Each structure stands twice: as C-alpha cells, then as structure tokens.
Amino acid sequence: MAAVAAKPHVLVACAVLLLAVGCQASPFWPLEIGYYHDKCPQAEAVVKGVMEKAISQNPGNGAAMIRMLFHDCFVEGCDASVLLDPTPFSPTPEKLSPPNDPTLRGFELIDAIKDALEAACPGVVSCADIVAFAARDASCILSRGKVNFQMPSGRRDGTFSNASEPLKFLVPPTSNLSDLVASFVIKGLNTEDLVVLSGAHTIGRSHCSSFVSDRLNTPSDINGGLAAFLRGQCPADATPGGNDPTVMQDVVTPNKLDRQYYKNVLSHTVLFTSDAALMTSAETARMVVENAKIPGWWEDKFQKAMVKMAGIEVKTGYQGQIRKNCGAINHY
C-alpha cells in the first residue's frame, strides 16, 4: 500500500496537540551518543578519571563494574535499581538478593563517581548512565584499549527494587546451556550475545561457593590440574556468607580483558558449569573456537554486545527520575 503524506495543516494540529499535553504522548526517547555534551560536558571524562584511578589500585574494580551492568540490566532494565539501599518502606531491594549479596561489589565506586558528577553538574547525570559508562571504561582499560566503544546514554533511574526479581532473571553459574540461552532471549539478546558476554569471565574473582558443589565435589569435565589447585584453595563446604574464599577466574591473564577465556573453555580450565556449557552444542562450540582463534574477533563482538545489553528495557524521556543519591529514590 502506498504511503499517504500528511497535509501541512494536519502536521501543525498534531504539533499543537503534543504541546497541549506536554508531550506526554511520547514518554520514551532513544538513547544518544554524547547525550551530556551540552548538559554536562565533562560527565564521561569524570567517570573515566575515577575508573582509571580505581583500576590502577585494584583491577578487580573494573571487573566489578562490568558485572554490575549485567546484574542491573537483566533486572528491571538498565535503571540502577540494583543500587538502591533498603528502607523501612522497601526493606529488601535487589542488592540484598542472593545473586547480589554478598558477592556484588563496587557500590562505593559508583557513589564516588556520583559525588563528583553532582559537584560538577547537580541533578543531571543518572546513576543508570554512570553504571553504563563505568562498565564501558572498565572494558577499555582492562583490555588495554582493544575494547573501545562509545556508550549511548540518556537513561533514567528506576524507583522500584525488590530482592525477588534477581532470582527470576539472573540464572546461577550451575545453569545448563538451554537455561542460559532462555535467560538471554527473554531480555532480547541471542545465543551469540550469551557466548560473547561470557568472555567477561576472563577477569575478576569468583567465590568458591559458586562452583565447588557441582565442579569439584561431583564428577565434571574440569581439568584435573586445575581441580587439584582449586581444592587447595576452596573448602569443600564453601557457602555464601560463610567460609568462602575467592579465586581468579582466569589464572593465565587474570587482570586483562581478552580472548583467553575461550582458550580456557577449550582446555576445560574454567570455573563454572555455565562456562563449560558453551561446549555442549555445535553452534556455541563453534563460536568458542572462533573467539579463541581469530585475533580481534571477540573484542569487536564484545563491544557491540555490551551496547546491546546496556539498552535493555531502559527508562528515558519522562520515565523514572535522576537520583541525587544512587542508593535512594528522590522524594519531592
């Protein structure tokens, strides 16, 4: 059917109508690269400066930011709901949910960035955008510049956070491939996004409780040498919040975001069942091999997947708010 062009007087009438209702007819605005160019020109530089210092002090701070973006975006969308503290009216927010407590870290780093931005541009930069920028900068710094991309912004902060929600959307590291794929598909991501974003397991540390029961205490495909090393580091009864040491996820290049993870998957030297699961289908196994063997292949796909993940169910326009304090909802 041929498109019908609107007549000029109709377009004017529509514009007047939108003004009359305060543009509420379209509350959603797309994210933009350079969103703060005029509103807060130094915003992204401030985030990068804090991240550079934090990662120089402890590379684990970078890994924490990448993980925080994932844990935020998969629950209520990328709206900083994971940052909200408990209150008498909301005593059990996301950060107290088992997938986040006590292992998710970096909240104080986000607060430091927010404080710096509030001093420079009060009430302008959302906590959700801070999380996205911090994860972007961490990726660039830890990859020695090989993962280097622009992050669209304009997200607004949510006002709802409940500990029951992460349990619905953040599948545990004991998951099989079908559960992993399903958890990504429901958020608009595909199997390749799963394989590519799993590569972030090349940095950071893991608590022993995340893999002891299904990888060390029961038969698994884990490399015998790695298993022996891990048994020397981890108590057989490691439990969250109890006797639960941490170990490097990648012992080869532990502080570098690179394709070593995929080589580890191929050599059965990964920690989680969810890592090993990438070899349980021909499709995902092929992707693992490509990422392991082809220089630059994974880095290019990772930056695209990060932008895609950072766009999950975002709040923009007149949705949400710009929190003054990332741990608390504004009360006007």
Side-chain angles (χ1 to χ4, degrees):
M1 182 181 294
V4 178
K7 296 180 180 180
H9 71 275
V10 174
L11 293 176
V12 171
C14 289
V16 170
L17 177 61
L18 283 175
L19 289 172
V21 299
C23 297
Q24 293 296 319
S26 181
F28 181 86
W29 298 343
L31 300 180
E32 302 174 31
I33 291 172
Y35 177 81
Y36 295 105
H37 182 270
D38 297 324
K39 302 176 182 181
C40 185
Q42 63 270 58
E44 296 190 45
V46 168
V47 178
K48 186 175 183 180
V50 175
M51 289 305 303
E52 287 176 335
K53 181 179 179 180
I55 292 173
S56 70
Q57 294 171 341
N58 177 6
N61 286 326
M65 291 299 98
I66 295 172
R67 183 170 183 244
M68 184 174 286
L69 180 66
F70 170 69
H71 281 233
D72 183 37
C73 291
F74 266 60
V75 183
E76 299 298 323
C78 309
D79 68 347
S81 55
V82 74
L83 303 179
L84 289 171
D85 293 320
T87 69
F89 301 101
S90 179
T92 55
E94 289 172 34
K95 64 163 53 176
L96 298 185
S97 186
N100 297 326
D101 184 28
T103 61
L104 194 66
R105 50 182 295 271
F107 297 104
E108 73 291 337
L109 187 51
I110 295 294
D111 289 340
I113 296 171
K114 180 63 171 175
D115 288 345
L117 287 171
E118 284 298 300
C121 311
V124 174
V125 184
S126 70
C127 300
D129 277 341
I130 291 173
V131 173
F133 288 148
R136 183 269 312 270
D137 293 337
S139 300
C140 183
I141 296 165
L142 290 173
S143 68
R144 317 298 196 265
K146 290 186 177 180
V147 175
N148 190 359
F149 60 97
Q150 293 182 301
M151 177 63 78
S153 51
R155 299 166 190 80
R156 290 171 66 86
D157 301 323
T159 57
F160 173 81
S161 183
N162 190 282
S164 65
E165 297 302 299
L167 296 171
K168 299 176 184 177
F169 301 108
L170 298 174
V171 295
T174 55
S175 300
N176 61 33
L177 185 60
S178 61
D179 288 341
L180 292 166
V181 171
S183 73
F184 271 60
V185 168
I186 200 171
K187 293 300 177 181
L189 305 181
N190 58 34
T191 301
E192 183 174 49
D193 296 322
L194 164 66
V195 175
V196 168
L197 290 170
S198 293
H201 288 174
T202 189
I203 52 171
R205 304 180 69 90
S206 169
H207 284 263
C208 293
S209 61
S210 297
F211 59 84
V212 162
S213 62
D214 60 318
R215 298 286 279 166
L216 300 182
N217 293 348
T218 57
S220 73
D221 74 332
I222 195 168
N223 175 276
L226 178 61
F229 169 76
L230 292 173
R231 289 190 180 100
Q233 304 294 312
C234 296
D237 60 349
T239 53
N243 184 12
D244 195 12
T246 62
V247 297
M248 289 292 186
Q249 295 202 88
D250 172 11
V251 297
V252 182
T253 57
N255 296 324
K256 187 177 181 182
L257 188 71
D258 58 16
R259 59 194 171 102
Q260 180 63 43
Y261 167 80
Y262 299 97
K263 300 176 183 179
N264 295 344
V265 173
L266 293 173
S267 62
H268 305 283
T269 53
V270 284
L271 297 184
F272 305 141
T273 293
S274 57
D275 294 325
L278 300 185
M279 295 302 293
T280 60
S281 85
E283 179 189 19
T284 55
R286 172 184 55 78
M287 295 176 187
V288 169
V289 171
E290 290 171 343
N291 288 327
K293 303 292 186 183
I294 306 173
W297 183 272
W298 171 74
E299 289 85 351
D300 180 64
K301 291 180 178 296
F302 183 74
Q303 52 197 32
K304 292 182 175 68
M306 285 286 283
V307 171
K308 188 175 178 181
M309 179 174 71
I312 294 175
E313 299 166 13
V314 293
K315 296 170 179 63
T316 65
Y318 297 103
Q319 301 169 320
Q321 60 183 212
I322 306 296
R323 288 189 220 136
K324 299 175 184 177
N325 176 340
C326 289
I329 295 168
N330 298 341
H331 294 287
Y332 299 104

